[in-house]
Structures are given as structure tokens and as C-alpha cells.
Amino acid sequence: MQNTDYRIAVIEDDPIQLENLVTALEQQGFMVDSFDNRQSAEESFAAGLPNLVISDIILGSEVDGGFDLAKHLLGYNQPIPIIFLSERQSEFDIYTGHTLGAIDYLPKPISLNMLIVKVKNLLRITGNTNTSNADEETSKIPNLALVQDQFKAYWFEKPLDLTATEFEMLKQFAVAGESSVVSYDALQASTQGVVERNTINTHICRIRNAFKKITPEFNSIHNEYGRGYSWQKDV
């Protein structure tokens, strides 16, 4: 996938910041749809979904407009990755953003160079489906199936509600098999640097919750303190 095939929706109520974001992305060859409010963005999504959403949290008079936008996107059948940009940097806000499917939560004022790098890293994950061979796509964990080209995982034949980033992290457990430790570095590397080390736990919590929606007693992903995580067979 080339940058010109990759459509990004940017939602920002500050006109200067919106212009800067759009210009920086278009200079890299991305197709960009820009919006200064949540409602117009959601109307556009009804006609066609973007590959990525970049959104502020506070949109006009809506203090949680970006979060509400993310909730709206959860209603679609396909996961749409979101990068939040915000001056709000409390642990609660960052946690909320990730629980709503964000792959990243970046502080304002935003570094445009950092944002471009993260967008390109995400493109390498979601846009290149030919980098994994058949062995990498085979799950060694019973009842867990992977469909690499769709970035979908199935637990007891039911689809797991995961972002593309979380799918890549889960795949590390599926390939390693039961009782094998997946290091923090391996989990971060699996996302091409999209996930920061300090947000890995948040994504693991989301992955666990996805399993619990299907099997509420799920307790297979264990924290191996100082090392990473492992998949342990339920006893």
C-alpha cells in the first residue's frame, strides 16, 4: 500500500493546528479529510470509513468530543485505529483513550515529525499483509485462530474485538505458544514502534477484556514481572 492509498481523517477545532496537521500529512502523500467538529466527521464516516483517525479530545464545546467520536466508531464492524492528540494528560484520560481503541495518545503541542513517524509505522502494520509467512499465522494456542490478512482473531470461533495493533501483540502469544514468555521488547517491536513501552499494559488489559467478552472466566495472559507476559493454560 502506498501513502496515496491511505486515507486519514483529522478532527481538530483549532484552524491553525488543523491546517498544520493536514499540510504535514499531505506532504507525505497521504489523502486527508479534515473536520473541525465531531458531527461532520461522523457524517463523513457514514459514507466511507478512513484507514486512520487523528483527533483532538476537546472539540468545540464538547469536552469529550474525541472520546464520543471513538465510541461512534466502535459501532462499525471493522476496527478503525485512532491517534488522540490532547493537552489532557491525566492517567484517567490516557486510559480512557486506549480503552476506546486508541493506538496512541500524544501530548500537545504535538511534534509533527513524531506524528508522521507513528503514522508510517502504523501503515507498515496495517498496509503490508505480505510480511508474514504461513507459520507465523498459525496459532499454537488451542481455540485461538488468526486471520492475518484481515487482522482478525477468533476465540472459540467468535471474533475478538481488537485493533490492528492489539492483533499484532496477540499474535506474539499465538506464535510463541503456551507457557512461553513474550518480552516487553517483543510486544513493542511487533507494533513497529506504534505502542510505547509505558502503554503496553493498557493494551494487554484491552486484549484480556476482549477475551472476557466471550469467556468471562478468561485468565490466561499472565504478567511475568520484569520480563513481559506469558500465556498460561487455564487450570
Side-chain angles (χ1 to χ4, degrees):
M1 179 181 287
Q2 301 297 316
N3 288 1
T4 52
D5 299 321
Y6 202 69
R7 182 171 293 279
I8 300 173
V10 179
I11 304 91
E12 168 61 66
D13 62 345
D14 184 294
I16 295 177
Q17 293 186 45
L18 180 59
E19 181 180 0
N20 289 340
L21 289 166
V22 171
T23 299
L25 291 164
E26 287 183 339
Q27 286 177 345
Q28 298 297 318
F30 295 108
M31 295 187 296
V32 183
D33 297 324
S34 60
F35 309 94
D36 61 6
N37 63 83
R38 176 180 60 82
Q39 292 85 353
S40 59
E42 291 180 356
E43 290 173 2
S44 173
F45 296 160
L49 291 172
N51 301 102
L52 169 68
V53 171
I54 300 174
S55 179
D56 193 0
I57 303 299
I58 302 174
L59 297 172
S61 61
E62 298 183 316
V63 294
D64 289 333
F67 290 157
D68 291 337
L69 181 74
K71 292 176 184 176
H72 177 81
L73 284 170
L74 291 175
Y76 290 94
N77 291 328
Q78 62 186 93
I80 305 299
I82 303 171
I83 296 177
F84 282 125
L85 314 177
S86 182
E87 296 174 350
R88 289 163 50 176
Q89 290 296 303
S90 71
E91 181 178 354
F92 175 78
D93 284 326
I94 295 173
Y95 175 81
T96 300
H98 284 295
T99 59
L100 291 173
I103 62 168
D104 219 328
Y105 192 113
L106 302 179
K108 285 187 173 183
I110 184 66
S111 165
L112 292 175
N113 289 334
M114 178 67 73
L115 178 64
I116 293 299
V117 168
K118 289 180 178 291
V119 169
K120 288 184 176 180
N121 284 340
L122 176 65
L123 176 57
R124 281 199 290 270
I125 292 176
T126 60
N128 185 355
T129 59
N130 296 319
T131 57
S132 298
N133 58 39
D135 290 337
E136 290 177 327
E137 297 175 18
T138 301
S139 172
K140 296 179 181 177
I141 295 175
N143 304 309
L144 175 63
L146 307 177
V147 181
Q148 174 66 38
D149 60 350
Q150 299 178 20
F151 292 92
K152 290 185 179 296
Y154 295 83
W155 181 236
F156 287 97
E157 300 184 350
K158 295 182 179 180
L160 289 161
D161 180 18
L162 301 173
T163 66
T165 299
E166 290 155 2
F167 172 87
E168 291 293 340
M169 296 175 73
L170 175 61
K171 188 170 75 172
Q172 305 311 302
F173 295 99
V175 172
E178 293 177 341
S179 301
S180 298
V181 175
V182 179
S183 69
Y184 296 114
D185 288 343
L187 289 168
Q188 187 175 11
S190 72
T191 70
Q192 302 282 347
V194 169
V195 172
E196 301 288 349
R197 173 70 176 265
N198 61 355
T199 63
I200 288 177
N201 183 61
T202 299
H203 288 282
I204 292 295
C205 287
R206 273 188 48 81
I207 292 171
R208 287 183 179 129
N209 288 336
F211 279 95
K212 288 180 179 180
K213 289 179 181 179
I214 299 173
T215 51
E217 70 280 7
F218 178 84
N219 187 32
S220 294
I221 300 178
H222 292 234
N223 189 352
E224 304 291 341
Y225 294 100
R227 301 168 64 198
Y229 295 85
S230 66
W231 184 290
Q232 300 294 333
K233 183 177 180 180
D234 286 337
V235 294

Short mmCIF file of all heavy atoms in Angstrom, two decimals, residues 103-104 117-123 125 165 188 191-196 199 203:
data_model
loop_
_atom_site.label_atom_id
_atom_site.label_comp_id
_atom_site.label_asym_id
_atom_site.label_seq_id
_atom_site.Cartn_x
_atom_site.Cartn_y
_atom_site.Cartn_z
N ILE A 103 -4.64 3.73 19.45
CA ILE A 103 -3.34 3.09 19.37
C ILE A 103 -2.26 3.99 19.96
O ILE A 103 -1.16 3.53 20.27
CB ILE A 103 -2.96 2.72 17.92
CG1 ILE A 103 -2.87 3.98 17.07
CG2 ILE A 103 -3.93 1.73 17.34
CD1 ILE A 103 -2.24 3.76 15.74
N ASP A 104 -2.59 5.27 20.11
CA ASP A 104 -1.64 6.18 20.73
C ASP A 104 -2.37 7.40 21.25
O ASP A 104 -3.49 7.73 20.82
CB ASP A 104 -0.55 6.61 19.75
CG ASP A 104 0.82 6.70 20.43
OD1 ASP A 104 0.86 7.03 21.62
OD2 ASP A 104 1.83 6.43 19.76
N VAL A 117 6.08 9.82 11.92
CA VAL A 117 6.76 8.54 12.14
C VAL A 117 5.77 7.50 12.63
O VAL A 117 5.75 6.35 12.16
CB VAL A 117 7.92 8.70 13.13
CG1 VAL A 117 8.43 7.33 13.58
CG2 VAL A 117 9.06 9.48 12.49
N LYS A 118 4.91 7.87 13.58
CA LYS A 118 3.95 6.92 14.13
C LYS A 118 2.92 6.51 13.08
O LYS A 118 2.52 5.34 13.02
CB LYS A 118 3.28 7.52 15.37
CG LYS A 118 4.19 7.60 16.58
CD LYS A 118 3.49 8.19 17.78
CE LYS A 118 4.42 8.22 18.98
NZ LYS A 118 4.72 6.87 19.50
N VAL A 119 2.49 7.45 12.25
CA VAL A 119 1.54 7.12 11.19
C VAL A 119 2.18 6.15 10.20
O VAL A 119 1.56 5.17 9.78
CB VAL A 119 1.07 8.40 10.47
CG1 VAL A 119 0.29 8.04 9.21
CG2 VAL A 119 0.19 9.22 11.40
N LYS A 120 3.42 6.38 9.83
CA LYS A 120 4.10 5.49 8.89
C LYS A 120 4.33 4.11 9.50
O LYS A 120 4.22 3.09 8.81
CB LYS A 120 5.43 6.11 8.44
CG LYS A 120 5.26 7.29 7.50
CD LYS A 120 6.60 7.82 7.02
CE LYS A 120 6.42 8.93 6.00
NZ LYS A 120 7.72 9.46 5.52
N ASN A 121 4.64 4.05 10.79
CA ASN A 121 4.79 2.76 11.46
C ASN A 121 3.47 1.99 11.44
O ASN A 121 3.44 0.78 11.22
CB ASN A 121 5.26 2.95 12.90
CG ASN A 121 6.72 3.30 13.00
OD1 ASN A 121 7.49 3.05 12.07
ND2 ASN A 121 7.13 3.87 14.11
N LEU A 122 2.39 2.71 11.69
CA LEU A 122 1.07 2.07 11.64
C LEU A 122 0.77 1.55 10.25
O LEU A 122 0.23 0.46 10.08
CB LEU A 122 0.00 3.06 12.08
CG LEU A 122 -1.45 2.55 11.99
CD1 LEU A 122 -1.65 1.40 12.97
CD2 LEU A 122 -2.42 3.67 12.26
N LEU A 123 1.14 2.32 9.23
CA LEU A 123 0.92 1.89 7.85
C LEU A 123 1.66 0.60 7.55
O LEU A 123 1.15 -0.28 6.84
CB LEU A 123 1.38 3.00 6.89
CG LEU A 123 1.31 2.69 5.40
CD1 LEU A 123 -0.11 2.33 5.00
CD2 LEU A 123 1.80 3.88 4.60
N ILE A 125 2.15 -1.75 9.56
CA ILE A 125 1.42 -2.86 10.18
C ILE A 125 0.15 -3.19 9.39
O ILE A 125 -0.10 -4.33 9.02
CB ILE A 125 1.02 -2.51 11.63
CG1 ILE A 125 2.26 -2.42 12.51
CG2 ILE A 125 0.07 -3.56 12.20
CD1 ILE A 125 1.96 -1.99 13.92
N THR A 165 -3.29 -3.09 16.04
CA THR A 165 -2.13 -3.11 16.94
C THR A 165 -2.26 -4.24 17.95
O THR A 165 -1.30 -4.99 18.20
CB THR A 165 -2.00 -1.76 17.67
OG1 THR A 165 -1.80 -0.73 16.71
CG2 THR A 165 -0.84 -1.78 18.64
N GLN A 188 6.51 -4.60 21.93
CA GLN A 188 6.66 -3.28 21.32
C GLN A 188 7.12 -3.39 19.87
O GLN A 188 6.61 -2.70 18.99
CB GLN A 188 7.64 -2.43 22.13
CG GLN A 188 7.73 -0.98 21.67
CD GLN A 188 8.61 -0.13 22.56
OE1 GLN A 188 9.33 -0.64 23.42
NE2 GLN A 188 8.56 1.18 22.36
N THR A 191 4.59 -4.08 17.03
CA THR A 191 3.74 -2.98 16.57
C THR A 191 4.53 -1.94 15.79
O THR A 191 4.02 -0.85 15.52
CB THR A 191 3.04 -2.28 17.75
OG1 THR A 191 4.02 -1.55 18.52
CG2 THR A 191 2.35 -3.29 18.65
N GLN A 192 5.77 -2.27 15.43
CA GLN A 192 6.61 -1.36 14.65
C GLN A 192 6.82 -0.04 15.37
O GLN A 192 6.97 1.01 14.74
CB GLN A 192 6.00 -1.11 13.27
CG GLN A 192 5.77 -2.34 12.44
CD GLN A 192 7.04 -2.87 11.80
OE1 GLN A 192 8.05 -2.21 11.77
NE2 GLN A 192 6.98 -4.08 11.29
N GLY A 193 6.79 -0.06 16.70
CA GLY A 193 7.02 1.16 17.46
C GLY A 193 5.78 2.00 17.68
O GLY A 193 5.86 3.07 18.30
N VAL A 194 4.61 1.56 17.19
CA VAL A 194 3.38 2.32 17.40
C VAL A 194 3.04 2.41 18.88
O VAL A 194 2.61 3.44 19.39
CB VAL A 194 2.21 1.68 16.62
CG1 VAL A 194 0.88 2.30 17.04
CG2 VAL A 194 2.42 1.86 15.13
N VAL A 195 3.25 1.30 19.62
CA VAL A 195 2.95 1.25 21.05
C VAL A 195 4.20 1.62 21.85
O VAL A 195 5.28 1.06 21.63
CB VAL A 195 2.45 -0.15 21.45
CG1 VAL A 195 2.33 -0.26 22.96
CG2 VAL A 195 1.11 -0.44 20.80
N GLU A 196 4.04 2.54 22.79
CA GLU A 196 5.13 2.90 23.68
C GLU A 196 5.23 1.88 24.80
O GLU A 196 4.25 1.23 25.16
CB GLU A 196 4.88 4.30 24.27
CG GLU A 196 4.75 5.41 23.24
CD GLU A 196 6.06 5.75 22.57
OE1 GLU A 196 7.11 5.27 23.05
OE2 GLU A 196 6.03 6.49 21.57
N THR A 199 2.71 2.02 27.64
CA THR A 199 1.28 1.77 27.37
C THR A 199 1.00 0.32 27.04
O THR A 199 -0.15 -0.03 26.75
CB THR A 199 0.77 2.66 26.22
OG1 THR A 199 1.46 2.32 25.00
CG2 THR A 199 0.98 4.14 26.53
N HIS A 203 -2.80 -1.93 26.64
CA HIS A 203 -3.23 -2.76 25.51
C HIS A 203 -3.47 -4.21 25.95
O HIS A 203 -4.41 -4.85 25.48
CB HIS A 203 -2.18 -2.71 24.40
CG HIS A 203 -2.14 -1.40 23.68
ND1 HIS A 203 -3.07 -1.04 22.73
CD2 HIS A 203 -1.30 -0.34 23.78
CE1 HIS A 203 -2.80 0.16 22.26
NE2 HIS A 203 -1.73 0.61 22.89
#
